[in-house]
Amino acid sequence: MKMLLLLVALLSAASAAPPTCYSRVLSLSKEITESFKELQTSKTADSCVGTLPRLYLDIHNYCVLAKLRDFVAYPGCDRMVEVSELKEKARSLYTILISYCRRDLVFLTDDCNALEIPISPPIEHSITES
């Protein structure tokens, strides 16, 4: 019985793989983008939030590095805790991109305009709407 429990424990530990650079960067970029959207739509947000640079992140676009640098260096809204936390996450993502994952990531484009006007995901229609 002990041997069976040990075997089950080893198998479950073996299947729990650590996150890859790509998965970490992808999840952090999505988290930052969503946090920025929430901050913009928040009723308690300071008026300075409207002056922040747009923050749509696509980690497959080489321009994301410049976008992150610009956002972190932007002087406005530092008095807001939410903005400071968002800037810290952006700084972390930038560091991960240029240091830890530098050789693991492949940028598919360098279209900086694509980060200014993000493409909305397609709206799914249900069968009952047609």
Side-chain angles (χ1 to χ4, degrees):
M1 185 66 167
K2 287 183 184 179
M3 196 63 153
L4 181 61
L5 287 174
L6 180 62
L7 181 62
V8 169
L10 286 174
L11 287 176
S12 64
S15 65
T20 62
C21 257
Y22 179 76
S23 65
R24 176 66 181 131
V25 166
L26 188 61
S27 67
L28 187 55
S29 69
K30 287 180 181 179
E31 180 182 332
I32 291 169
T33 301
E34 288 303 313
S35 294
F36 183 71
K37 285 179 188 176
E38 289 173 10
L39 184 62
Q40 283 185 314
T41 58
S42 171
K43 301 216 185 311
T44 60
D46 196 300
S47 60
C48 70
V49 171
T51 65
L52 288 171
R54 292 177 57 106
L55 194 59
Y56 167 72
L57 303 177
D58 176 6
I59 61 163
H60 303 102
N61 187 331
Y62 185 74
C63 293
V64 75
L65 297 173
K67 176 67 90 172
L68 288 167
R69 265 194 320 266
D70 291 348
F71 185 79
V72 169
Y74 190 78
C77 290
D78 287 336
R79 66 185 179 275
M80 285 189 64
V81 175
E82 296 90 348
V83 174
S84 295
E85 289 172 352
L86 193 57
K87 284 185 175 187
E88 191 55 41
K89 286 181 186 179
R91 186 178 293 113
S92 296
L93 178 58
Y94 181 79
T95 302
I96 292 169
L97 284 169
I98 65 167
S99 299
Y100 306 111
C101 298
R102 185 182 60 183
R103 293 187 179 111
D104 296 342
L105 297 176
V106 175
F107 296 107
L108 304 175
T109 183
D110 61 353
D111 181 8
C112 295
N113 288 332
L115 295 179
E116 293 301 318
I117 306 169
I119 299 171
S120 301
I123 300 171
E124 294 182 25
H125 296 287
S126 68
I127 296 172
T128 58
E129 289 179 11
S130 12

